[in-house]
């Protein structure tokens, strides 16, 4: 793959996933403009996430049976249409419907990631997937900052209008740059969706890797959800804009993601995953001392993000190596499992905070790290501590 195409995939994936987060810093502004309550505006985030989960489950698997040279631009253009509806929405009800549609259609990034795995040389797949995944992470982190800056100058509607234009431009460029790709499998749609579970459960490597990945995402969302409570309470008492700046420390994870894939390419996937989880365990240990000063908070954030993104890329690349024929369905299982675990992590953060404050959250994070290390040890014992080479048979039809 030429570097320019890898970079284009990273930018397009980041822009697509960023559509999910434009509204987060704009809720008060949107509520005031549409004469809605803050509670009603808060549903915008929930609607987007529910729509995204639906799109992941029902659309992303199509990457295994359709020509992605057409599928990716079609999804970007569909997202652009939803973004235009968001930009012109006259009421909170219309905006809720439009933003749900946006969540469903803005799944191009999760189609592009396995596409990058398909197009990359086997010896270089980890590096390529890592770069594309770093684009997704950067898009998530940057979208909130860009949204606030643009809305402050030109209003919240301009954010969605600008994103629509970007999606159309990317659709045109990607249609020209992605080579024609024949479908990898031929399955009717009901069988395609039903085969997701079969694909995920058939291979031992995939089963245990999905458990490790889900545990990681639960710990990650638990940390970041509770961090808002910590930074807004004494002894810190930071306002919301300052709390948002702490997310920029997560850019270290984007840098780590670019390098993590190379560890897989060198055959170090399993040892590196274990070391990453030891880093996560240490990060939660550092987080225990967070009340002693902001330096400990920043150290925990950087260490957690670097280690978490490293294990995440290794997990994703490892399952992509299991079957070239079913990568889109494997990615669907991976993202869906993480999404469910992330929701559980967020809910757990609130309950732990009420029960024991930040200490309870940090201890729970250490416990989850220990559980993930146990899963890793079971997987490593079965694989001999190395990554699994791509199988010639694809667990495609179930």
């Amino acid at each position: 793959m030429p570097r320019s195409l890898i970079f284009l995939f990273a930018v397009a994936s980041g822009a697509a996933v960023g559509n999910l987060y434009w509204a987060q810093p704009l809720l008060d502004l949107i509520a005031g403009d549409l004469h809605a309550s803050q509670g009603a505006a808060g549903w915008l985030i929930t609607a987007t996430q529910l729509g995204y989960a639906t799109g992941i489950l029902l659309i992303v698997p199509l990457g295994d049976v359709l020509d992605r040279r057409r599928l990716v631009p079609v999804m970007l253009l569909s997202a652009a249409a939803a973004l235009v509806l968001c930009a012109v929405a006259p009421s909170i009800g219309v905006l809720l419907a439009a933003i749900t549609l946006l969540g469903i259609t803005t799944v191009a990034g999760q189609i592009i990631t396995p596409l990058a795995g398909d197009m990359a040389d086997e010896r270089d797949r980890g590096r390529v997937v890592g770069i594309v995944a770093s684009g997704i992470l950067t898009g998530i982190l940057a979208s909130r900052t860009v949204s606030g800056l643009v809305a402050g100058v030109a209003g919240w509607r301009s954010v969605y209008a600008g994103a629509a234009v970007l999606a159309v431009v990317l659709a045109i460029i990607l249609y020209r740059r992605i080579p024609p790709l024949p479908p990898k499998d031929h399955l009717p749609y009901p069988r395609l969706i039903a085969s997701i579970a079969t694909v995920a459960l058939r291979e031992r490597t995939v089963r245990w890797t999905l458990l490790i990945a889900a545990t990681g995402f639960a710990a990650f969302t638990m940390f970041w959800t509770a961090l808002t409570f910590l930074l807004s309470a004494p002894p810190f008492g930071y306002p919301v804009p300052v709390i948002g700046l702490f997310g920029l420390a997560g850019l270290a994870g984007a840098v780590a993601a670019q390098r993590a894939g190379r560890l897989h390419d060198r055959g170090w996937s399993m040892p590196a995953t274990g070391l990453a989880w030891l880093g996560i365990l240490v990060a939660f240990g550092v987080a225990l001392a967070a009340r002693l000063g902001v330096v400990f908070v920043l150290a925990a954030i950087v260490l957690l993000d670097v280690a978490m993104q490293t294990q995440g890329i290794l997990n994703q690349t490892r399952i992509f190596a299991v079957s070239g024929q079913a990568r889109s369905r494997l990615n669907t299982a991976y993202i869906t499992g993480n999404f469910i675990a992330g929701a559980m992590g967020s809910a757990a953060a609130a309950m732990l905070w009420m029960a024991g404050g930040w200490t309870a959250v940090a201890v729970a994070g250490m416990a989850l790290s220990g559980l993930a290390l146990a899963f890793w040890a079971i997987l490593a014992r079965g694989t001999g501590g190395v990554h699994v080479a791509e199988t010639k048979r694809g667990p495609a039809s179930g």
Side-chain angles (χ1 to χ4, degrees), residues 2-397:
R3 292 184 178 181
S4 61
L5 185 57
I6 299 172
F7 177 75
L8 176 61
F9 278 4
V11 172
S13 298
V17 175
N19 289 334
L20 301 172
Y21 301 96
W22 298 128
Q24 280 194 346
L26 308 178
L27 295 180
D28 285 342
L29 190 61
I30 291 173
D33 185 56
L34 297 180
H35 308 289
S37 67
Q38 290 182 331
W43 277 100
L44 293 172
I45 305 301
T46 302
T48 309
Q49 295 294 336
L50 290 175
Y52 188 61
T54 303
I56 291 293
L57 183 61
L58 300 181
I59 297 176
V60 171
L62 291 171
D64 286 336
V65 296
L66 296 179
D67 183 354
R68 286 162 291 178
R69 181 174 182 249
R70 297 181 178 181
L71 179 60
V72 171
V74 164
M75 295 317 303
L76 285 169
L77 292 175
S78 300
L83 286 162
V84 170
L85 289 176
C86 291
V88 301
S91 66
I92 192 67
V94 174
L95 182 57
L96 276 169
I99 210 165
T100 301
L101 182 61
L102 176 62
I104 294 172
T105 56
T106 191
V107 295
Q110 299 305 339
I111 300 173
I112 290 173
T113 304
L115 171 60
D118 286 346
M119 295 181 65
D121 184 82
E122 184 175 350
R123 295 169 296 178
D124 203 35
R125 183 175 297 125
R127 181 184 69 87
V128 173
V129 172
I131 292 173
V132 175
S134 72
I136 291 176
L137 179 61
T138 302
I140 292 172
L141 295 172
S143 60
R144 300 179 179 96
T145 303
V146 171
S147 179
L149 292 175
V150 173
V153 174
W156 69 269
R157 296 181 187 275
S158 64
V159 175
Y160 289 95
V165 173
L166 178 60
V168 171
V169 171
L170 288 171
I172 295 171
I173 296 174
L174 284 167
Y175 183 75
R176 293 178 176 178
R177 291 296 309 275
I178 299 175
L181 298 169
K184 296 187 294 180
D185 208 341
H186 297 86
L187 287 173
Y189 185 72
R191 284 185 61 197
L192 176 73
I193 300 302
S195 69
I196 295 172
T198 304
V199 165
L201 297 177
R202 173 176 294 178
E203 298 288 344
R204 180 180 184 277
T205 296
V206 177
R207 292 195 302 269
W208 286 104
T209 298
L210 291 179
L211 279 175
I212 294 170
T215 305
F217 209 71
F220 187 71
T221 57
M222 182 182 70
F223 177 90
W224 279 99
T225 300
L227 186 66
T228 301
F229 303 149
L230 174 70
L231 296 177
S232 60
F236 301 109
Y238 294 135
V240 172
V242 175
I243 293 174
L245 292 176
F246 278 79
L248 296 178
L251 287 173
V255 176
Q258 293 189 34
R259 303 293 180 182
R262 298 182 181 182
L263 298 174
H264 176 92
D265 295 335
R266 295 173 181 175
W268 299 343
S269 178
M270 291 308 302
T273 300
L275 288 175
W277 271 104
L278 287 175
I280 295 169
L281 179 62
V282 172
F284 276 107
V286 173
L288 277 173
R291 292 188 181 278
L292 298 179
V294 71
V295 173
F296 291 96
V297 176
L298 291 172
I301 290 174
V302 172
L303 181 56
L304 181 69
D305 269 49
V306 169
M308 195 66 75
Q309 296 307 324
T310 296
Q311 67 90 34
I313 294 302
L314 291 170
N315 289 333
Q316 196 167 26
T317 308
R318 191 183 307 118
I319 65 171
F320 282 172
V322 170
S323 171
Q325 195 177 7
R327 285 198 181 106
S328 291
R329 279 167 285 172
L330 289 170
N331 198 46
T332 296
Y334 179 85
I335 299 299
T336 302
N338 283 0
F339 184 91
I340 295 171
M344 295 171 64
S346 296
M351 292 186 290
L352 288 166
W353 182 265
M354 291 187 293
W358 181 252
T359 299
V361 173
V363 170
M366 296 175 72
L368 285 174
S369 301
L371 180 62
L373 281 168
F375 293 154
W376 167 83
I378 294 171
L379 177 58
R381 186 168 62 247
T383 59
V386 296
H387 71 73
V388 179
E390 181 177 329
T391 57
K392 296 303 180 184
R393 66 177 179 84
S397 301

